Amino acid sequence: MQSGIQSSRARVEAGLGRRRRREIIFRVFGLAATMVGVFFLVAFFSTLIAKGSSAFVQTFLQLEVEYSEEALAPGGELDLEFADFDGIARAALRKKFSEVTTRNDRRELNRLISVGAGYQIRDAVISNPNLLGTTGMLEVPASANVDMLLKGNIDRDVPESQRPLSDQQIEWIDQLIADGSLVSKFNKALFVNGDSREPELAGIRGALMGSFYMLLITIALAFPIGAAAAIYLEEFAPKNRWADLIEVNINNLAAVPSIVFGLLGLAVFINWIGIPRSAPLVGGLVLSLLTLPVIIIAARAAIKAVPPSIREAAFGLGASKMQVVFHHVLPLAMPGMLTGAIIGMSRALGESAPLLMIGMVAFIVDVPASITDPATALPVQIYLWADSPERAFAERTSAAIIVLLGFLLLMNLAAVILRKKVERRW
Amino acid sequence: MVISSLKETGEYRRMTDMTQPKMIRDATTANAVKTGEPVVAGNKTVGNVRCANPFMVAENINVYYGDNHAIKDVTLEFAKNQVIALIGPSGCGKSTFLRCLNRMNDSIDSARVTGTITLDGQDIYSKDLDPVALRARVGMVFQKPNPFPKSIYDNVAYGPRIHGLANDRAELDDIVHTSLERAGLLKEVKDRLDEPGTGLSGGQQQRLCIARTIAVNPEVILMDEPCSALDPIATARIEDLMDELSENYAIVIVTHSMQQAARVSRRVAYFHLGHLIEVDDTDKIFTNPQHKLTDDYVTGRIG
């Protein structure tokens, strides 16, 4: 017996070194895996912020604008049809460069101002007709190329033929910088405008509103339906072959590629039911279908995690099935269900493929005012801008991604706060 | 011999389940029953299953979990104002039988119960009887203290609330206070009724669960090993409590502790492999059991 104990001890000790080595190797691998993940995350965020942050400021031209009656009110009265708002902006810029006379030069000079300048003057005059005949300082957006030059995205050293600004234009810009007419300011247009062909006027407001309406529809549909389905399946449905079949299919649905849901939306909601194309209503319906399985699975897991002892206690007191579910199971499962819902929402917010199928990829300038107006969504807007050749759209793509990530972060934060609030602290 | 050598009742049960008919015959021959009767399915329980003034009567109860025959033809009567203890080795079916008495087995899909159980003359498995109404009359206390994650007050008030027993807040306050008082908990918690019930100690939690049960004013209280998760001091308090409660209620307790059964109960029912082997007055079971299996169990040779 004694020798038996000794040989066991010897064997245990002989194996110790190997066990320790294995543990160390595993730890090293784990640490390495974590480091790789962190490295890519940091790399991703730093390039994104480096590329996108410049889009939050924008170059503006300070001009002394003369609201001449001659240009604005050729018939004696303000006439929106014939008023030459662009002309006024151009004239104001030309005043700074008296040496520019030839038609070609004038055209080149005009290209330094954004077409948005004309709209801005029009809005100013419409809101305040007393401006007619007066002169005032006005800040109008410079064209995207001027902006890019100032941000260093256009290289002065490449040959003239290979850059969007001529030597002459660069010289004018330098003069404008020297006399302080070019200023960098917060890029409000990015947040208040819809999409535009002109990068300096393009904004994400339309896409944001589109995404907002869609998420509203998605949460309003997917959470109640998902929660009801989960409660029914978990608490009330008989456990038989049909229940198993439904469970398998819900799990499969969660793994269906999202574009398939887009096709379904196109076939059913647009072609069959006849909801207008590109509308957030269709998008919301499609995203609801997409998130339903996720919500159902999360909610079922949360319901399953409620300790059976609580149910038994309630049943033992004579609570009916309904009372057990609504008084005890749901309050305990709610944090998990809400977390599942918000994870589903986050997925819906970042989804673009199904939206391409239902026409939400169109170029839409107007900010949607209702759920049936044509709209795009944030991820689709990012896709559209990433596709645009203008250099200025590159930084706006990154900026839009930053905004999208910001919203995802906010939603996850909301999930955490909601969880903390709803969760029983005992 | 086979049985007594296998102290692990789980192991023993598994073996017997596989070859039940043979094993039972073996067990019968190995443990010559004192009364001379073999322990085969269908045989009568030794002792006296009847009692004076029966309040709840279980006749020929069989319970099946799918193909597993868990309770075999059990007949037992319960009297008012009396504590009866169900004892037996693990897996013998005493908890299953207990859960038949308030139809808690309903929630298990594969469970099937045959036979009749009457409460005050009324068949509790009849279609007209709602299990909700039954459970208001037959309360239950579980093995592990399971207070709701709510305040102490809400724990006790939950039953009266769902059954609409109180007309106003004052009445509800009254029910909560008397229930806590009768469960011997009021003194300890009266200043913190709005604190979570789960913050109490194990023994206090179990008394809270008892208070919660008696707040509904049941006629029978089922207790499924109510002290197995408690220390001896808390156990002693619960046992005292049972003694007091037996003045007003019929109490059925499942326990693994024979000392506890001896202390708290007036009658004892010994279960073995789904059979009800012997029922009699407590002192008789512990001093002079009629059946060999009961004798083996109470003297510690099996179980």
Side-chain angles (χ1 to χ4, degrees):
Chain A
M1 202 62 200
Q2 194 61 37
S3 70
I5 288 173
Q6 233 137 51
S7 81
S8 303
R9 222 177 109 182
R11 279 187 190 197
V12 169
E13 274 165 11
L16 276 183
R18 200 163 40 110
R19 285 195 231 174
R20 279 193 59 83
R21 256 199 317 285
R22 278 190 182 168
E23 187 178 322
I24 289 168
I25 290 171
F26 181 78
R27 278 191 187 191
V28 168
F29 269 113
L31 190 67
T34 314
M35 295 304 276
V36 169
V38 169
F39 169 76
F40 279 111
L41 197 70
V42 169
F44 169 66
F45 275 111
S46 50
T47 49
L48 194 64
I49 290 169
K51 276 192 178 163
S53 57
S54 59
F56 292 104
V57 289
Q58 163 80 22
T59 308
F60 288 88
L61 248 175
Q62 284 178 332
L63 294 176
E64 191 175 14
V65 179
E66 191 190 339
Y67 302 97
S68 76
E69 285 175 345
E70 191 185 334
L72 294 177
E77 221 171 297
L78 184 59
D79 185 342
L80 292 181
E81 202 174 333
F82 293 105
D84 184 6
F85 300 109
D86 287 338
I88 287 183
R90 287 171 186 165
L93 181 60
R94 231 173 15 247
K95 259 200 302 191
K96 290 183 186 274
F97 300 98
S98 47
E99 76 279 8
V100 176
T101 46
T102 67
R103 212 181 148 80
N104 244 345
D105 283 354
R106 279 166 71 166
R107 197 180 298 147
E108 288 222 334
L109 185 60
N110 291 344
R111 289 209 182 113
L112 299 186
I113 312 179
S114 162
V115 294
Y119 301 133
Q120 200 179 332
I121 293 170
R122 188 189 63 178
D123 291 346
V125 174
I126 290 173
S127 69
N128 182 10
N130 295 337
L131 283 176
L132 265 183
T134 62
T135 306
M137 289 302 287
L138 195 67
E139 245 168 35
V140 298
S143 76
N145 284 335
V146 176
D147 190 44
M148 287 296 102
L149 184 76
L150 262 68
K151 286 172 180 167
N153 291 342
I154 290 176
D155 192 350
R156 289 163 184 259
D157 299 333
V158 300
E160 188 177 12
S161 59
Q162 287 176 25
R163 63 176 131 78
L165 290 172
S166 67
D167 290 342
Q168 177 70 67
Q169 284 174 315
I170 289 181
E171 201 178 300
W172 288 327
I173 292 168
D174 286 338
Q175 277 183 41
L176 287 170
I177 295 171
D179 70 11
S181 304
L182 280 178
V183 288
S184 276
K185 285 204 161 176
F186 177 67
N187 187 2
K188 211 173 113 194
L190 186 64
F191 295 98
V192 299
N193 286 3
D195 198 6
S196 169
R197 289 279 181 243
E198 311 299 327
E200 71 274 12
L201 299 177
I204 53 170
R205 178 78 182 280
L208 260 182
M209 290 310 288
S211 278
F212 172 74
Y213 285 132
M214 280 197 294
L215 282 193
L216 218 60
I217 293 166
T218 307
I219 191 98
L221 284 178
F223 185 63
I225 296 177
I231 293 167
Y232 177 74
L233 288 174
E234 209 48 59
E235 297 286 340
F236 295 97
K239 303 270 174 288
N240 54 24
R241 214 178 304 160
W242 289 107
D244 291 345
L245 192 73
I246 289 172
E247 172 152 15
V248 167
N249 277 303
I250 288 173
N251 290 343
N252 282 342
L253 270 186
V256 166
S258 55
I259 197 154
V260 177
F261 285 97
L263 279 169
L264 178 86
L266 177 65
V268 175
F269 298 131
I270 296 178
N271 289 347
W272 189 50
I273 300 181
I275 303 171
R277 232 175 347 162
S278 307
L281 179 59
V282 191
L285 289 169
V286 168
L287 293 182
S288 305
L289 293 179
L290 188 77
T291 47
L292 254 181
V294 179
I295 290 179
I296 293 177
I297 291 170
R300 288 187 72 172
I303 291 170
K304 242 184 220 150
V306 174
S309 64
I310 297 292
R311 287 168 220 261
E312 285 208 316
F315 276 126
L317 280 175
S320 66
K321 185 95 201 180
M322 190 83 176
Q323 286 169 329
V324 171
V325 170
F326 282 89
H327 295 168
H328 300 286
V329 176
L330 272 192
L332 289 174
M334 203 37 98
M337 291 169 82
L338 285 176
T339 309
I342 293 189
I343 288 171
M345 290 296 112
S346 305
R347 188 184 162 193
L349 178 62
E351 203 55 76
S352 57
L355 305 182
L356 304 184
M357 303 306 299
I358 53 171
M360 295 195 77
V361 70
F363 172 70
I364 290 155
V365 177
D366 293 325
V367 175
S370 79
I371 54 169
T372 47
D373 288 348
T376 53
L378 262 181
V380 180
Q381 188 68 70
I382 290 166
Y383 165 75
L384 284 171
W385 281 355
D387 226 21
S388 300
E390 285 90 347
R391 202 178 277 256
F393 273 124
E395 60 168 23
R396 279 170 174 74
T397 306
S398 296
I401 293 173
I402 291 174
V403 172
L404 179 63
L405 288 178
F407 273 95
L408 287 174
L409 208 70
L410 269 181
M411 284 174 73
N412 286 334
L413 200 70
V416 171
I417 291 172
L418 217 62
R419 229 192 129 99
K420 279 260 154 64
K421 240 186 146 152
V422 177
E423 208 160 41
R424 304 288 172 112
R425 271 170 296 281
W426 55 62
Chain B
M1 227 108 71
V2 180
I3 297 168
S4 51
S5 66
L6 287 167
K7 276 282 180 191
E8 269 302 312
T9 48
E11 175 99 350
Y12 160 65
R13 194 175 138 66
R14 230 179 311 122
M15 284 183 64
T16 49
D17 278 353
M18 280 185 291
T19 56
Q20 211 161 35
K22 186 169 171 290
M23 284 299 290
I24 284 189
R25 233 174 291 125
D26 287 353
T28 314
T29 46
N31 299 279
V33 177
K34 273 191 186 173
T35 53
E37 287 174 1
V39 202
V40 188
N43 264 57
K44 277 179 85 178
T45 306
V46 180
N48 191 6
V49 297
R50 308 285 165 191
C51 65
N53 304 321
F55 182 63
M56 197 171 196
V57 181
E59 294 275 4
N60 307 104
I61 297 301
N62 283 281
V63 180
Y64 305 85
Y65 289 128
D67 294 333
N68 182 14
H69 194 173
I71 296 286
K72 293 157 191 161
D73 203 30
V74 169
T75 298
L76 189 58
E77 287 185 350
F78 306 92
K80 238 179 180 162
N81 311 337
Q82 193 185 61
V83 181
I84 179 167
L86 313 184
I87 61 169
S90 291
C92 67
K94 53 197 188 305
S95 286
T96 300
F97 180 68
L98 188 77
R99 295 167 68 95
C100 290
L101 300 178
N102 68 344
R103 292 183 59 177
M104 283 297 272
N105 286 333
D106 285 14
S107 56
I108 301 165
D109 284 336
S110 64
R112 195 158 55 80
V113 180
T114 65
T116 57
I117 300 177
T118 57
L119 177 66
D120 214 5
Q122 189 182 10
D123 181 7
I124 68 166
Y125 276 88
S126 90
K127 283 214 164 61
D128 320 327
L129 190 82
D130 192 333
V132 165
L134 171 70
R135 289 175 196 146
R137 297 176 64 190
V138 183
M140 189 157 188
V141 176
F142 297 86
Q143 179 171 3
K144 230 183 93 203
N146 54 356
F148 299 127
K150 297 171 187 274
S151 71
I152 293 171
Y153 184 95
D154 286 338
N155 259 286
V156 182
Y158 182 69
R161 270 193 189 131
I162 56 171
H163 295 301
L165 300 185
N167 290 321
D168 52 35
R169 178 77 191 196
E171 226 171 298
L172 191 62
D173 283 349
D174 199 43
I175 293 176
V176 170
H177 276 95
T178 32
S179 304
L180 285 170
E181 170 89 75
R182 280 158 80 187
L185 192 62
L186 187 64
K187 236 184 263 169
E188 290 154 69
V189 301
K190 66 168 178 287
D191 298 326
R192 45 180 178 141
L193 287 179
D194 49 359
E195 276 177 37
T198 41
L200 298 172
S201 74
Q204 288 174 326
Q205 287 190 18
Q206 194 63 299
R207 275 181 281 147
L208 177 62
C209 293
I210 293 174
R212 182 174 69 185
T213 304
I214 57 184
V216 185
N217 218 0
E219 294 152 58
V220 181
I221 299 178
L222 310 177
M223 295 188 171
D224 192 355
E225 299 181 41
C227 302
S228 65
L230 305 182
D231 68 22
I233 298 167
T235 302
R237 294 223 49 172
I238 304 267
E239 286 177 4
D240 290 345
L241 185 57
M242 273 188 250
D243 215 37
E244 289 163 28
L245 293 176
S246 66
E247 288 168 20
N248 298 302
Y249 309 99
I251 297 180
V252 186
I253 174 175
V254 165
T255 178
H256 269 141
S257 157
M258 274 170 287
Q259 290 87 340
Q260 184 171 56
R263 281 192 300 261
V264 300
S265 67
R266 188 98 60 80
R267 286 163 78 216
V268 171
Y270 174 65
F271 281 76
H272 189 95
L273 292 179
H275 294 280
L276 177 54
I277 303 296
E278 184 166 351
V279 185
D280 225 317
D281 289 344
T282 302
D283 39 359
K284 197 159 176 209
I285 289 278
F286 286 112
T287 54
N288 185 24
Q290 298 299 299
H291 199 289
K292 178 75 167 65
L293 283 170
T294 317
D295 192 26
D296 285 349
Y297 185 75
V298 299
T299 52
R301 277 199 286 275
I302 56 166

